[in-house]
Amino acid sequence: MAIREKVFNTIISCFKRHGAENIDTPVFELKETLTGKYGEDSKLIYDLKDQGGELLSLRYDLTVPFARYLAMNKVTNIKRYHIAKVYRRDNPAMTRGRYREFYQCDFDIAGQYDPMIPDAECLKIVHEILSELELGDFRIKVNDRRILDGMFAVCGVPDDKFRTICSTVDKLDKMSWEDVRSEMVKEKGLSEEAADQIGQYVSLQGGMDLAERLLQDAKMSQSKQACAGLTDMKQLFSYLQLFQVTDKASAEKVRTTETQVMVASAQKNLLEERLRLTAELWNAGIKAEVMYKKNPKLLSQLQHCEDSGIPLVAILGEQELKDGVVKLRTVHSREEVRFSYTASLSV
């Protein structure tokens, strides 16, 4: 209890520092209020015994009761926090501290505002709390449903399967990609081709850089929905920089190789050119690397640079070859310069 009190005091102090007011709601709600709000997880709701009155259920989270509170009281703008117990008819995981009754600490900003400003403050709050609690390294994952839906569309997921495939993708935190893929294909009836395309995207990680790369991706750029979400995501990260929500893993990585340049291609059928340039870099004493695929996606090649800490990427494209130049990009800053083919060897 002493530990819990200290944690709650830290969280509440942060919520109040950001101007939130406190509310409370009943531990139970009308069953009809909760029904249909949680997708496949609705089966985890505790229903109270029918004693000849209204059908009631224990609250599953604090978000749906908050929405009901706003609607009943005609509240249009509020910044609120709510710390209370919720109930889920799930299999308890004692080793992870997950019981069927547990606390949630919610902070929400309700209302109509300019995009991404309230969202950035919510992430700032999470960053402040986790940093102050000194829990060690942590990662905050953000998503925009438009990006997810756009990705499903360009990967060939039928409209009527969006929600059910989404619920499976959400399990990536708990299951391997192989198991997630198997569920999508064997249980949800998704084609193997669509599942494999989804796998290429969900394996990517990053922040502002990933949003920019996806905006340039040949498939994702075809979805207006995804592009709108990615544009807002870029805006979000610009606000996070102003709020000083910085990446704590941004310290220099411990690299296992000394590769200086990754030789990449922007289009298909450029394997020979990539190999030729890689050989010339090696001959010039430059530590270089190339992916062992005939037609790797540019996104995958750039992600490899991010993951491996390779500082530079030489990008070959059909237009660059015609112009007799190579694009050299600094991976961290994404700044690009063009070198003539000869000049590029004296990097």
Side-chain angles (χ1 to χ4, degrees), residues 196-258:
D196 290 338
Q197 290 186 50
I198 291 173
Q200 292 177 353
Y201 286 114
V202 297
S203 63
L204 301 174
Q205 299 180 13
M208 174 85 82
D209 59 314
L210 180 57
E212 291 180 341
R213 296 209 307 269
L214 288 174
L215 278 169
Q216 298 171 12
D217 181 67
K219 284 191 175 180
M220 291 291 277
S221 60
Q222 295 175 8
S223 169
K224 291 182 179 179
Q225 194 177 25
C227 288
L230 289 165
T231 300
D232 276 354
M233 196 65 76
K234 283 181 61 178
Q235 184 68 71
L236 172 66
F237 279 103
S238 69
Y239 292 147
L240 291 177
Q241 290 174 350
L242 295 174
F243 278 153
Q244 299 176 10
V245 180
T246 54
D247 187 351
K248 294 161 69 75
S250 64
E252 186 175 344
K253 291 183 178 179
V254 178
R255 296 185 58 197
T256 56
T257 70
E258 297 181 6

Side-chain angles (χ1 to χ4, degrees), residues 126-149:
V126 174
H127 189 272
E128 286 181 1
I129 290 172
L130 294 180
S131 299
E132 193 171 343
L133 290 177
E134 298 181 341
L135 299 175
D137 291 340
F138 58 86
R139 174 179 292 167
I140 302 172
K141 297 182 179 180
V142 295
N143 183 39
D144 187 305
R145 179 53 62 83
R146 293 171 295 175
I147 300 174
L148 196 62
D149 286 352

Side-chain angles (χ1 to χ4, degrees), residues 114-127:
D114 288 335
M116 297 297 125
I117 302 175
D119 307 72
E121 184 176 6
C122 288
L123 290 171
K124 172 67 172 174
I125 289 168
V126 174
H127 189 272

Side-chain angles (χ1 to χ4, degrees), residues 27-177:
V27 73
F28 53 83
E29 295 280 344
L30 290 173
K31 182 178 180 179
E32 64 187 48
T33 301
L34 303 183
T35 301
K37 305 297 193 302
Y38 304 104
E40 295 181 357
D41 288 338
S42 291
K43 62 181 182 291
L44 302 179
I45 295 174
Y46 273 106
D47 292 330
L48 299 181
K49 184 178 179 181
D50 182 7
Q51 297 177 316
E54 297 168 315
L55 296 179
L56 303 173
S57 300
L58 294 180
R59 63 188 173 201
Y60 177 89
D61 65 9
L62 302 179
T63 304
V64 171
F66 177 49
R68 192 263 311 152
Y69 169 89
L70 294 179
M72 285 185 67
N73 294 283
K74 296 182 172 58
V75 177
T76 56
N77 293 275
I78 188 174
K79 182 188 288 188
R80 83 86 170 89
Y81 75 91
H82 188 188
I83 297 178
K85 290 179 178 179
V86 297
Y87 302 85
R88 297 185 183 180
R89 197 163 53 87
D90 205 350
N91 292 323
M94 303 299 184
T95 55
R96 298 174 59 192
R98 186 62 176 257
Y99 302 90
R100 288 172 176 165
E101 174 190 76
F102 59 95
Y103 277 97
Q104 281 193 338
C105 303
D106 271 28
F107 176 98
D108 284 284
I109 302 174
Q112 292 186 336
Y113 307 96
D114 288 335
M116 297 297 125
I117 302 175
D119 307 72
E121 184 176 6
C122 288
L123 290 171
K124 172 67 172 174
I125 289 168
V126 174
H127 189 272
E128 286 181 1
I129 290 172
L130 294 180
S131 299
E132 193 171 343
L133 290 177
E134 298 181 341
L135 299 175
D137 291 340
F138 58 86
R139 174 179 292 167
I140 302 172
K141 297 182 179 180
V142 295
N143 183 39
D144 187 305
R145 179 53 62 83
R146 293 171 295 175
I147 300 174
L148 196 62
D149 286 352
M151 178 190 73
F152 287 162
V154 300
C155 289
V157 179
D159 290 351
D160 61 346
K161 290 187 183 293
F162 272 28
R163 295 286 74 83
T164 186
I165 295 300
C166 179
S167 68
T168 302
V169 170
D170 282 345
K171 297 177 182 178
L172 276 171
D173 283 339
K174 306 172 185 176
M175 296 164 52
S176 68
W177 164 246

Side-chain angles (χ1 to χ4, degrees), residues 173-191:
D173 283 339
K174 306 172 185 176
M175 296 164 52
S176 68
W177 164 246
E178 289 73 22
D179 291 337
V180 167
R181 182 186 184 278
S182 177
E183 181 176 313
M184 288 194 295
V185 174
K186 295 180 180 179
E187 297 181 26
K188 304 293 178 69
L190 188 67
S191 69

